[in-house]
Amino acid sequence: MLPAPLHFLSPRRQEYLTGLLDHYRPVAWGMSLLSEALKHAITKRPDKGFRVLTGEIDTLEAEADKVKRRIRNHLPVAWLMVVDKTLFLDYTRRQDNILDAVQEATTWLALSPLEVPAALADALTISVAEAAETVVLLHAALSATMDGILHGRGDRGAIKANIQAVRQQHLKVVKAKRGLIAAAYASDMDFGAVYRIIRFVEYVFRASHNAESCADILRAMLAR
């Protein structure tokens, strides 16, 4: 971070840092649509509503990419940045990967009708909800970190607690993933259906994992 007397040398610092929140919004919205897409795939098969949802997710991904490019193309030189440039670029990539994982997850849902036992369908729904919560918690961590870096607001302990909450939530997703894979293999479904579920769960996990990685990067930004 720049010493306070040198902050005037970085007039665009708020623009690129607050841009992370601009980028977060379409990412979070796309993640929130995944549970609805799963519901369509299980209860209604991939229908018109499902296609509308996947189209909206694709639109959000394009919007997030546009914001990411705008942020990256208007960065000041590295020594004027109030956070490490490598960390900043890594954060934008990780946050963008959340929505990429959601896109891939919906691709596996769209291949064919998804016939799963009721208990497994419930477990899939819970797994997606747990991953979505990881992304929701990332917002509090990101907002608190930006306030701390830009304005010196907020208790560092509270900011770290927000970051830790993301990590703890991701652990729930890890456990859900392991249980789902075991349940899929133990079911009477054919191998093709089992493989599709495993691939879907893997991308749900990746969305949450990238949110956790974002939180880790925020912690590193705060430390510097």
Side-chain angles (χ1 to χ4, degrees):
M1 296 172 59
L2 284 173
L6 297 182
H7 275 202
F8 74 94
L9 292 174
S10 184
R12 291 185 294 184
R13 66 187 186 281
Q14 292 192 23
E15 180 179 338
Y16 66 82
L17 278 175
T18 56
L20 296 180
L21 286 165
D22 295 335
H23 181 259
Y24 170 87
R25 294 185 186 99
V27 170
W29 183 242
M31 183 70 208
S32 72
L33 295 178
L34 185 57
S35 60
E36 191 65 24
L38 175 63
K39 185 188 301 183
H40 274 268
I42 291 175
T43 62
K44 302 177 181 179
R45 315 284 178 83
D47 59 357
K48 182 178 179 180
F50 179 86
R51 291 190 292 274
V52 169
L53 286 167
T54 55
E56 188 171 352
I57 289 170
D58 290 342
T59 299
L60 289 166
E61 197 278 334
E63 180 183 339
D65 276 348
K66 183 177 179 180
V67 175
K68 183 181 72 173
R69 287 193 299 271
R70 173 176 60 80
I71 296 169
R72 288 185 167 194
N73 290 340
H74 293 86
L75 290 176
V77 294
W79 71 275
L80 285 178
M81 293 182 66
V82 294
V83 296
D84 180 83
K85 188 172 186 177
T86 300
L87 288 175
F88 183 87
L89 293 175
D90 194 24
Y91 183 94
T92 60
R93 179 176 64 85
R94 295 283 187 173
Q95 191 164 265
D96 202 58
N97 284 347
I98 296 171
L99 198 45
D100 289 341
V102 171
Q103 280 187 302
E104 292 297 333
T106 56
T107 297
W108 285 96
L109 290 179
L111 292 178
S112 62
L114 187 63
E115 300 284 353
V116 296
L120 193 55
D122 290 342
L124 283 168
T125 301
I126 292 171
S127 177
V128 171
E130 295 284 17
E133 182 62 18
T134 310
V135 179
V136 168
L137 291 172
L138 177 62
H139 182 266
L142 175 58
S143 297
T145 304
M146 294 302 98
D147 277 346
I149 291 173
L150 288 172
H151 310 296
R153 291 199 297 255
D155 176 73
R156 285 178 69 90
I159 298 173
K160 292 176 184 178
N162 284 325
I163 292 171
Q164 183 62 21
V166 178
R167 294 170 176 161
Q168 292 299 321
Q169 180 61 31
H170 178 63
L171 289 177
K172 297 180 182 179
V173 178
V174 173
K175 293 179 181 178
K177 172 191 172 185
R178 293 169 181 168
L180 267 169
I181 291 175
Y185 272 114
S187 71
D188 295 328
M189 295 184 299
D190 62 58
F191 179 76
V194 171
Y195 183 74
R196 282 182 64 201
I197 288 175
I198 290 173
R199 295 297 291 166
F200 173 77
V201 171
E202 176 63 33
Y203 282 110
V204 172
F205 166 82
R206 289 187 190 184
S208 178
H209 180 62
N210 277 290
E212 183 205 29
S213 296
C214 286
D216 288 340
I217 296 170
L218 291 176
R219 180 68 183 84
M221 287 181 182
L222 193 65
R224 294 177 70 90

